[in-house]
Coordinates of all heavy atoms in Angstrom, one line a residue:
P1123 N 0.9 -1.2 0.0 CA 0.0 0.0 0.0 C 0.8 1.2 0.0 O 2.0 1.3 0.6 CB -0.8 -0.1 1.2 CG -0.1 -1.1 2.2 CD 0.8 -1.9 1.2
Q1124 N 0.2 2.3 -0.6 CA 1.1 3.6 -0.7 C 0.4 4.6 0.2 O -0.9 4.7 0.3 CB 1.1 4.1 -2.1 CG 1.9 5.4 -2.3 CD 2.0 5.7 -3.7 OE1 1.2 5.3 -4.6 NE2 2.9 6.6 -4.0
N1125 N 1.2 5.2 1.1 CA 0.6 6.4 2.0 C 0.9 7.6 1.4 O 2.0 8.0 1.0 CB 1.3 6.1 3.4 CG 0.8 7.1 4.4 OD1 -0.3 7.7 4.2 ND2 1.4 7.3 5.4
L1126 N -0.1 8.5 1.3 CA -0.1 9.9 0.7 C -0.3 10.8 1.9 O -1.4 11.3 1.9 CB -1.0 10.1 -0.4 CG -0.9 9.1 -1.6 CD1 -2.0 9.2 -2.6 CD2 0.5 9.3 -2.3
P1127 N 0.7 11.1 2.7 CA 0.5 12.1 3.7 C 0.4 13.5 3.3 O 1.0 13.9 2.2 CB 1.8 12.0 4.6 CG 2.8 11.6 3.6 CD 2.1 10.7 2.6
G1128 N -0.4 14.3 3.9 CA -0.4 15.8 3.6 C -1.8 16.4 3.6 O -1.9 17.6 3.6
Q1129 N -2.9 15.6 3.8 CA -4.2 16.1 3.9 C -4.3 16.7 5.4 O -3.8 16.0 6.3 CB -5.3 15.1 3.7 CG -6.7 15.5 3.6 CD -7.0 16.2 2.3 OE1 -6.5 15.6 1.2 NE2 -7.6 17.3 2.2
L1130 N -4.8 17.8 5.6 CA -4.6 18.5 6.9 C -5.8 17.9 7.9 O -5.7 18.0 9.1 CB -4.9 19.9 6.8 CG -3.8 20.7 6.0 CD1 -4.1 22.1 5.8 CD2 -2.4 20.5 6.6
D1131 N -6.9 17.4 7.4 CA -8.0 16.9 8.3 C -8.5 15.5 7.6 O -7.9 15.1 6.6 CB -9.1 18.0 8.2 CG -10.0 17.9 9.5 OD1 -10.1 16.9 10.1 OD2 -10.6 18.8 9.7
R1132 N -9.5 15.0 8.3 CA -10.0 13.7 7.8 C -10.5 13.8 6.3 O -11.1 14.8 6.1 CB -11.2 13.3 8.7 CG -11.7 12.1 8.4 CD -13.0 11.7 9.1 NE -14.0 12.3 8.4 CZ -15.3 12.6 8.9 NH1 -15.6 12.3 10.1 NH2 -16.2 13.2 8.0
V1133 N -10.1 12.8 5.6 CA -10.5 12.8 4.2 C -12.1 12.3 4.1 O -12.5 11.4 4.8 CB -9.7 11.9 3.4 CG1 -10.3 11.5 1.9 CG2 -8.3 12.2 3.4
S1134 N -12.9 13.2 3.5 CA -14.2 13.0 3.3 C -14.7 12.7 1.8 O -15.9 12.3 1.7 CB -15.0 14.2 3.8 OG -14.5 15.4 3.1
A1135 N -13.9 12.8 0.8 CA -14.3 12.6 -0.6 C -12.9 12.2 -1.3 O -11.9 12.8 -1.1 CB -15.0 13.7 -1.2
L1136 N -13.1 11.3 -2.4 CA -12.1 10.9 -3.2 C -12.5 10.6 -4.7 O -13.6 10.2 -4.8 CB -11.5 9.6 -2.8 CG -10.7 9.5 -1.5 CD1 -10.4 8.0 -1.1 CD2 -9.4 10.3 -1.6
D1137 N -11.7 11.0 -5.7 CA -12.1 10.6 -7.0 C -10.7 10.4 -7.8 O -9.8 11.2 -7.5 CB -12.9 11.5 -7.6 CG -13.6 10.9 -8.9 OD1 -13.9 9.7 -9.0 OD2 -13.8 11.7 -9.9
W1138 N -10.6 9.5 -8.8 CA -9.5 9.1 -9.6 C -9.8 9.6 -11.1 O -10.8 9.6 -11.5 CB -9.3 7.8 -9.7 CG -8.7 7.1 -8.4 CD1 -9.6 6.7 -7.4 CD2 -7.4 6.7 -8.0 NE1 -8.8 6.0 -6.4 CE2 -7.4 6.1 -7.0 CE3 -6.2 6.9 -8.7 CZ2 -6.3 5.6 -6.3 CZ3 -5.1 6.5 -8.1 CH2 -5.2 5.9 -6.8
T1139 N -8.6 10.0 -11.7 CA -8.6 10.0 -13.3 C -7.2 9.7 -13.6 O -6.1 10.3 -13.2 CB -9.0 11.4 -13.7 OG1 -9.0 11.4 -15.1 CG2 -8.2 12.6 -13.2
Q1140 N -7.0 8.5 -14.2 CA -5.8 8.0 -14.7 C -4.9 7.9 -13.5 O -5.0 7.1 -12.6 CB -5.2 8.7 -15.8 CG -6.0 8.4 -17.1 CD -5.3 8.9 -18.4 OE1 -4.3 9.4 -18.4 NE2 -5.8 8.5 -19.5
Y1141 N -3.8 8.7 -13.5 CA -2.8 8.6 -12.5 C -2.9 9.8 -11.4 O -2.1 10.0 -10.7 CB -1.5 8.7 -13.0 CG -1.2 7.6 -14.1 CD1 -1.1 7.9 -15.4 CD2 -1.0 6.3 -13.6 CE1 -0.8 6.9 -16.3 CE2 -0.8 5.4 -14.5 CZ -0.6 5.5 -15.8 OH -0.4 4.5 -16.6
T1142 N -4.0 10.4 -11.5 CA -4.3 11.6 -10.5 C -5.5 11.3 -9.7 O -6.5 10.8 -10.0 CB -4.7 12.9 -11.4 OG1 -3.7 13.0 -12.4 CG2 -4.7 14.1 -10.5
L1143 N -5.2 11.5 -8.3 CA -6.1 11.4 -7.3 C -6.4 12.6 -6.6 O -5.6 13.4 -6.3 CB -5.6 10.3 -6.2 CG -6.5 10.1 -5.0 CD1 -7.8 9.5 -5.3 CD2 -5.6 9.5 -3.8
A1144 N -7.8 12.9 -6.5 CA -8.2 14.1 -5.7 C -8.8 13.7 -4.4 O -9.7 12.7 -4.4 CB -9.2 15.0 -6.5
S1145 N -8.4 14.3 -3.3 CA -9.0 14.0 -2.0 C -9.5 15.4 -1.4 O -8.8 16.3 -1.5 CB -8.0 13.3 -1.1 OG -6.8 14.2 -0.9
G1146 N -10.8 15.3 -0.9 CA -11.2 16.4 -0.2 C -11.4 16.2 1.3 O -11.5 15.0 1.7
S1147 N -11.3 17.2 2.1 CA -11.3 16.9 3.6 C -12.4 17.8 4.4 O -13.0 18.7 3.8 CB -10.0 17.3 4.2 OG -9.6 18.5 4.0
R1148 N -12.5 17.5 5.6 CA -13.5 18.2 6.5 C -13.2 19.7 6.6 O -14.2 20.4 6.8 CB -13.6 17.6 7.9 CG -14.2 16.3 7.9 CD -14.3 15.6 9.3 NE -13.8 16.5 10.4 CZ -13.8 16.2 11.6 NH1 -14.4 15.0 12.0 NH2 -13.4 16.9 12.7
D1149 N -11.9 20.1 6.4 CA -11.6 21.5 6.5 C -11.8 22.4 5.3 O -11.4 23.5 5.2 CB -10.3 21.7 7.1 CG -9.2 21.1 6.2 OD1 -9.5 20.6 5.1 OD2 -7.9 21.1 6.7
G1150 N -12.4 21.7 4.2 CA -12.5 22.4 3.0 C -11.4 22.4 2.0 O -11.6 23.0 0.9
H1151 N -10.4 21.7 2.2 CA -9.1 21.7 1.3 C -9.4 20.5 0.3 O -9.8 19.4 0.7 CB -7.9 21.6 2.2 CG -7.5 22.8 2.8 ND1 -7.8 23.0 4.1 CD2 -6.8 23.8 2.4 CE1 -7.3 24.3 4.4 NE2 -6.7 24.8 3.4
I1152 N -8.8 20.7 -0.8 CA -8.7 19.6 -1.8 C -7.3 19.4 -2.1 O -6.5 20.5 -2.3 CB -9.5 19.9 -3.0 CG1 -11.0 19.8 -2.7 CG2 -9.2 18.8 -4.2 CD1 -12.0 20.0 -3.9
V1153 N -6.8 18.2 -2.1 CA -5.4 18.0 -2.6 C -5.4 17.1 -3.9 O -6.3 16.1 -3.9 CB -4.6 17.1 -1.5 CG1 -3.2 16.8 -1.9 CG2 -4.6 18.0 -0.2
I1154 N -4.5 17.4 -4.7 CA -4.5 16.7 -6.0 C -3.2 15.9 -6.0 O -2.0 16.6 -5.9 CB -4.7 17.5 -7.2 CG1 -6.1 18.2 -7.2 CG2 -4.5 16.7 -8.5 CD1 -6.4 19.2 -8.2
W1155 N -3.2 14.6 -6.2 CA -2.0 13.8 -6.1 C -1.6 13.2 -7.4 O -2.5 12.8 -8.2 CB -2.2 12.7 -5.1 CG -2.7 13.0 -3.7 CD1 -4.1 13.2 -3.5 CD2 -2.0 13.3 -2.6 NE1 -4.1 13.5 -2.1 CE2 -2.9 13.6 -1.6 CE3 -0.6 13.3 -2.4 CZ2 -2.5 13.9 -0.3 CZ3 -0.3 13.6 -1.0 CH2 -1.2 13.9 0.0
D1156 N -0.3 13.0 -7.7 CA 0.2 12.2 -8.7 C 0.6 10.9 -8.1 O 1.6 10.8 -7.3 CB 1.3 12.8 -9.5 CG 1.8 11.9 -10.6 OD1 1.9 10.6 -10.5 OD2 2.4 12.5 -11.6
V1157 N -0.2 9.9 -8.3 CA 0.0 8.6 -7.6 C 1.2 7.8 -8.0 O 1.7 7.0 -7.4 CB -1.3 7.7 -7.6 CG1 -2.4 8.4 -6.8 CG2 -1.8 7.4 -9.1
R1158 N 1.6 8.1 -9.2 CA 2.8 7.4 -9.9 C 4.0 7.8 -9.0 O 4.9 7.1 -8.7 CB 3.1 7.7 -11.3 CG 2.0 7.2 -12.3 CD 2.2 7.7 -13.6 NE 2.0 9.1 -13.5 CZ 2.0 10.0 -14.6 NH1 2.3 9.5 -15.7 NH2 1.8 11.2 -14.4
L1159 N 4.1 9.1 -8.7 CA 5.2 9.7 -8.0 C 4.9 9.8 -6.5 O 5.9 9.9 -5.7 CB 5.6 11.2 -8.4 CG 5.7 11.4 -9.9 CD1 5.8 12.8 -10.2 CD2 6.9 10.6 -10.3
G1160 N 3.7 9.6 -6.1 CA 3.4 9.7 -4.6 C 3.6 11.0 -4.0 O 3.9 11.2 -2.9
K1161 N 3.3 12.1 -4.9 CA 3.5 13.4 -4.5 C 2.2 14.3 -4.7 O 1.5 14.0 -5.7 CB 4.6 14.1 -5.4 CG 6.0 13.6 -5.1 CD 7.1 14.2 -5.7 CE 8.4 13.8 -5.3 NZ 9.4 14.5 -5.9
K1162 N 2.1 15.3 -3.9 CA 1.1 16.3 -3.9 C 1.4 17.2 -5.1 O 2.5 17.7 -5.1 CB 1.0 17.1 -2.6 CG -0.2 17.7 -2.3 CD -0.2 18.6 -1.0 CE 0.6 18.0 0.1 NZ 0.4 18.8 1.3
I1163 N 0.5 17.3 -6.1 CA 0.8 18.3 -7.1 C 0.1 19.6 -7.1 O 0.6 20.6 -7.7 CB 0.6 17.7 -8.6 CG1 -0.8 17.1 -8.7 CG2 1.6 16.5 -8.8 CD1 -1.2 16.6 -10.1
F1164 N -0.9 19.7 -6.3 CA -1.7 20.9 -6.0 C -2.5 20.7 -4.8 O -3.0 19.7 -4.5 CB -2.6 21.3 -7.2 CG -2.8 22.8 -7.3 CD1 -2.0 23.7 -7.7 CD2 -4.1 23.1 -6.9 CE1 -2.3 25.1 -7.6 CE2 -4.5 24.5 -6.8 CZ -3.6 25.4 -7.3
W1165 N -2.7 21.9 -4.1 CA -3.5 21.9 -2.8 C -4.2 23.2 -2.9 O -3.5 24.3 -3.1 CB -2.5 21.8 -1.7 CG -3.0 22.0 -0.4 CD1 -3.6 21.1 0.5 CD2 -2.9 23.2 0.4 NE1 -4.0 21.6 1.6 CE2 -3.7 23.0 1.7 CE3 -2.5 24.5 0.2 CZ2 -3.8 23.8 2.6 CZ3 -2.7 25.4 1.1 CH2 -3.3 25.1 2.4
Y1166 N -5.5 23.3 -2.6 CA -6.2 24.5 -2.4 C -7.4 24.3 -1.6 O -7.9 23.4 -1.3 CB -6.7 25.1 -3.8 CG -7.6 24.2 -4.6 CD1 -9.0 24.6 -4.7 CD2 -7.2 23.0 -5.2 CE1 -9.9 23.7 -5.3 CE2 -8.2 22.2 -5.8 CZ -9.6 22.6 -5.9 OH -10.4 21.9 -6.5
K1167 N -7.8 25.5 -1.0 CA -9.0 25.6 -0.2 C -10.2 26.0 -1.1 O -10.3 27.0 -1.7 CB -8.9 26.7 0.9 CG -10.0 26.9 1.7 CD -9.9 26.4 3.1 CE -11.0 26.8 4.0 NZ -11.1 26.0 5.1
S1168 N -11.1 25.0 -1.2 CA -12.3 25.2 -2.1 C -13.5 25.6 -1.3 O -14.5 26.1 -1.9 CB -12.4 23.9 -2.9 OG -12.8 22.8 -2.0
H1169 N -13.7 25.1 -0.1 CA -15.0 25.3 0.6 C -14.6 25.8 2.0 O -13.5 25.5 2.7 CB -15.6 24.0 0.8 CG -16.1 23.5 -0.6 ND1 -17.3 23.9 -1.3 CD2 -15.5 22.7 -1.5 CE1 -17.4 23.3 -2.5 NE2 -16.3 22.6 -2.6
S1170 N -15.6 26.5 2.6 CA -15.4 27.0 4.1 C -15.8 25.9 5.1 O -15.5 26.0 6.2 CB -16.3 28.3 4.2 OG -17.6 28.0 4.1
K1171 N -16.4 24.8 4.5 CA -16.8 23.7 5.4 C -16.3 22.6 4.7 O -15.7 22.5 3.7 CB -18.3 23.8 5.7 CG -18.8 24.9 6.5 CD -20.2 24.8 6.7 CE -20.7 26.0 7.5 NZ -22.1 25.9 7.9
E1172 N -16.7 21.3 5.2 CA -16.5 20.0 4.7 C -16.8 19.9 3.2 O -17.8 20.2 2.7 CB -17.1 18.9 5.4 CG -16.8 17.5 5.1 CD -17.4 16.4 5.9 OE1 -18.3 16.8 6.7 OE2 -17.0 15.3 5.8
V1173 N -15.7 19.2 2.5 CA -16.0 18.8 1.1 C -16.8 17.5 1.1 O -16.2 16.5 1.7 CB -14.6 18.5 0.4 CG1 -14.9 18.1 -1.0 CG2 -13.7 19.8 0.3
G1174 N -18.0 17.5 0.6 CA -18.8 16.3 0.7 C -18.7 15.4 -0.6 O -18.9 14.2 -0.4
A1175 N -18.4 15.9 -1.7 CA -18.2 15.1 -3.0 C -17.3 15.8 -3.9 O -17.2 17.0 -4.0 CB -19.5 15.0 -3.6
I1176 N -16.6 14.9 -4.6 CA -15.7 15.5 -5.7 C -15.8 14.5 -6.9 O -16.0 13.3 -6.7 CB -14.3 15.7 -5.3 CG1 -13.6 14.4 -4.6 CG2 -14.0 16.9 -4.5 CD1 -12.1 14.6 -4.2
K1177 N -15.7 15.0 -8.1 CA -15.8 14.2 -9.3 C -14.8 14.9 -10.4 O -15.2 16.0 -10.7 CB -17.2 14.0 -9.7 CG -17.5 13.2 -10.9 CD -17.2 11.8 -10.6 CE -17.5 10.9 -11.8 NZ -17.0 9.7 -11.7
W1178 N -14.1 14.1 -11.1 CA -13.3 14.6 -12.2 C -14.3 14.5 -13.5 O -15.1 13.7 -13.6 CB -12.2 13.6 -12.6 CG -11.1 13.8 -11.6 CD1 -10.7 12.9 -10.6 CD2 -10.1 14.8 -11.6 NE1 -9.6 13.4 -10.0 CE2 -9.2 14.5 -10.5 CE3 -9.9 16.0 -12.4 CZ2 -8.1 15.4 -10.3 CZ3 -8.8 16.9 -12.0 CH2 -7.9 16.6 -11.1
S1179 N -14.1 15.5 -14.4 CA -14.7 15.5 -15.7 C -14.2 14.3 -16.5 O -13.2 13.7 -16.3 CB -14.6 16.9 -16.4 OG -13.2 17.0 -16.7
K1180 N -15.0 13.9 -17.7 CA -14.5 12.8 -18.4 C -13.1 13.2 -19.1 O -12.4 12.3 -19.4 CB -15.5 12.6 -19.6 CG -16.7 11.9 -18.9 CD -17.7 11.4 -20.0 CE -18.9 10.9 -19.4 NZ -19.6 9.9 -20.1
D1181 N -12.8 14.4 -19.4 CA -11.6 14.8 -20.1 C -10.4 14.8 -19.1 O -9.3 14.8 -19.4 CB -11.6 16.1 -20.8 CG -11.9 17.2 -20.0 OD1 -11.8 17.2 -18.7 OD2 -12.1 18.4 -20.5
G1182 N -10.7 14.7 -17.7 CA -9.6 14.7 -16.6 C -9.0 16.0 -16.4 O -8.0 16.0 -15.6
Y1183 N -9.6 17.2 -16.8 CA -9.0 18.5 -16.6 C -9.8 19.3 -15.6 O -9.2 20.2 -15.0 CB -8.9 19.2 -17.9 CG -7.9 18.6 -18.9 CD1 -8.3 18.2 -20.1 CD2 -6.6 18.4 -18.5 CE1 -7.5 17.7 -21.0 CE2 -5.7 17.8 -19.4 CZ -6.2 17.5 -20.6 OH -5.2 17.0 -21.6
T1184 N -11.1 19.0 -15.3 CA -11.8 19.8 -14.4 C -12.3 18.9 -13.3 O -12.8 17.8 -13.5 CB -13.1 20.4 -15.2 OG1 -12.6 21.2 -16.3 CG2 -13.8 21.3 -14.3
L1185 N -12.3 19.4 -12.1 CA -12.7 18.8 -11.0 C -13.8 19.6 -10.3 O -13.7 20.7 -10.2 CB -11.5 18.7 -9.9 CG -11.9 17.9 -8.6 CD1 -12.1 16.5 -8.9 CD2 -10.8 18.2 -7.6
A1186 N -15.0 18.9 -10.1 CA -16.1 19.4 -9.5 C -16.2 19.1 -8.1 O -15.9 17.8 -7.7 CB -17.4 19.1 -10.2
S1187 N -16.4 19.9 -7.1 CA -16.6 19.7 -5.7 C -17.7 20.4 -5.1 O -18.2 21.5 -5.5 CB -15.4 20.1 -4.9 OG -15.2 21.5 -4.9
G1188 N -18.5 19.6 -4.2 CA -19.6 20.2 -3.4 C -19.3 20.1 -2.0 O -18.7 19.1 -1.5
G1189 N -19.6 21.1 -1.2 CA -19.3 21.1 0.1 C -20.5 21.4 1.1 O -21.7 21.8 0.6
S1190 N -20.4 21.2 2.3 CA -21.4 21.5 3.3 C -21.7 23.1 3.5 O -22.7 23.5 4.1 CB -20.9 21.1 4.7 OG -20.8 19.7 4.7
D1191 N -20.9 23.9 2.6 CA -21.1 25.3 2.7 C -22.2 25.7 1.5 O -22.4 26.7 1.2 CB -19.9 26.1 2.5 CG -19.1 25.7 1.2 OD1 -19.6 24.8 0.4 OD2 -18.0 26.1 1.0
K1192 N -22.7 24.6 0.9 CA -23.7 24.8 -0.1 C -23.2 25.3 -1.4 O -24.0 26.0 -2.3 CB -24.9 25.6 0.3 CG -25.6 24.9 1.6 CD -26.7 25.8 2.1 CE -27.3 25.2 3.4 NZ -28.4 26.0 3.9
K1193 N -21.8 25.2 -1.6 CA -21.2 25.7 -2.9 C -20.8 24.6 -3.8 O -20.5 23.5 -3.3 CB -19.9 26.6 -2.6 CG -20.2 27.8 -1.9 CD -18.9 28.7 -1.8 CE -17.6 28.1 -1.7 NZ -16.4 29.0 -1.6
L1194 N -20.9 24.8 -5.1 CA -20.3 23.8 -6.1 C -19.1 24.6 -6.7 O -19.3 25.8 -7.1 CB -21.4 23.6 -7.1 CG -20.8 22.9 -8.3 CD1 -20.4 21.4 -7.9 CD2 -21.9 22.7 -9.4
V1195 N -17.9 24.0 -6.8 CA -16.9 24.6 -7.2 C -16.2 23.9 -8.3 O -16.2 22.6 -8.3 CB -15.7 24.8 -6.1 CG1 -14.4 25.4 -6.7 CG2 -16.2 25.6 -5.0
L1196 N -15.9 24.5 -9.5 CA -15.3 23.8 -10.6 C -13.9 24.3 -10.7 O -13.6 25.6 -10.7 CB -16.0 24.1 -11.9 CG -17.5 23.8 -12.1 CD1 -18.1 24.2 -13.4 CD2 -17.5 22.2 -11.9
F1197 N -12.9 23.4 -10.8 CA -11.5 23.8 -10.7 C -10.8 23.1 -12.0 O -11.0 21.9 -12.2 CB -10.8 23.2 -9.5 CG -9.4 23.5 -9.3 CD1 -9.0 24.8 -9.0 CD2 -8.5 22.6 -9.6 CE1 -7.6 25.2 -8.9 CE2 -7.1 22.9 -9.6 CZ -6.7 24.1 -9.1
D1198 N -10.2 24.0 -12.8 CA -9.4 23.5 -14.0 C -8.0 23.3 -13.7 O -7.2 24.2 -13.3 CB -9.6 24.5 -15.2 CG -9.1 23.9 -16.5 OD1 -8.1 23.3 -16.5 OD2 -9.7 24.3 -17.5
I1199 N -7.4 22.0 -13.7 CA -6.1 21.9 -13.4 C -5.1 22.3 -14.4 O -3.9 22.6 -14.1 CB -5.8 20.4 -13.1 CG1 -5.9 19.5 -14.4 CG2 -6.5 19.8 -11.9 CD1 -5.4 18.1 -14.2
R1200 N -5.6 22.7 -15.6 CA -4.6 23.3 -16.6 C -4.3 24.7 -16.2 O -3.1 25.1 -16.6 CB -5.3 23.3 -17.9 CG -5.5 21.8 -18.6 CD -6.3 21.9 -19.7 NE -7.7 22.3 -19.4 CZ -8.7 22.2 -20.2 NH1 -8.5 21.7 -21.4 NH2 -9.9 22.6 -19.8
T1201 N -5.2 25.4 -15.7 CA -5.0 26.8 -15.3 C -4.8 27.1 -13.8 O -4.5 28.2 -13.4 CB -6.1 27.7 -15.8 OG1 -7.3 27.3 -15.2 CG2 -6.2 27.6 -17.3
N1202 N -5.1 26.1 -13.0 CA -5.1 26.2 -11.6 C -6.1 27.2 -11.1 O -5.9 28.0 -10.2 CB -3.7 26.5 -11.0 CG -2.7 25.4 -11.2 OD1 -3.2 24.2 -11.2 ND2 -1.5 25.6 -11.2
K1203 N -7.3 27.3 -11.8 CA -8.3 28.2 -11.4 C -9.6 27.6 -11.4 O -9.9 26.7 -12.1 CB -8.4 29.4 -12.3 CG -7.1 30.3 -12.3 CD -7.4 31.5 -13.2 CE -6.0 32.3 -13.2 NZ -6.1 33.5 -14.0

């Protein structure tokens, strides 16, 4: 098994696309990992409360997240916005 340390709080949501894993946590942060390297490639605060769900788009470039703060956030990994 591979351990990916770095999430600040309990993980509440996960989704994969090829070699990229996104994890969301109770503190509203999302971490994007390259599982081949076992490294964090991006980290951002998307919600003011718990991330309840995350899902990659079919093209693997956009991550949608929903949180307990009643927000839906779309994040494009090509532009980091």
Side-chain angles (χ1 to χ4, degrees):
Q1124 185 175 13
N1125 184 16
L1126 300 172
Q1129 194 78 45
L1130 299 176
D1131 204 339
R1132 185 189 81 199
V1133 173
S1134 55
L1136 292 170
D1137 197 35
W1138 290 85
T1139 181
Q1140 293 197 348
Y1141 302 109
T1142 308
L1143 173 67
S1145 61
S1147 66
R1148 285 183 7 177
D1149 62 3
H1151 286 92
I1152 290 180
V1153 178
I1154 300 174
W1155 308 88
D1156 183 323
V1157 295
R1158 294 171 296 179
L1159 302 174
K1161 291 187 177 185
K1162 202 182 322 185
I1163 55 176
F1164 199 76
W1165 172 85
Y1166 65 102
K1167 175 107 173 161
S1168 63
H1169 297 276
S1170 61
K1171 296 183 180 179
E1172 182 174 9
V1173 178
I1176 52 179
K1177 181 72 177 163
W1178 286 104
S1179 61
K1180 289 187 183 208
D1181 66 10
Y1183 295 119
T1184 304
L1185 183 68
S1187 63
S1190 298
D1191 57 3
K1192 302 179 184 176
K1193 289 190 333 186
L1194 172 64
V1195 177
L1196 298 176
F1197 181 78
D1198 188 325
I1199 64 168
R1200 295 170 294 188
T1201 61
N1202 291 338
K1203 294 181 181 179

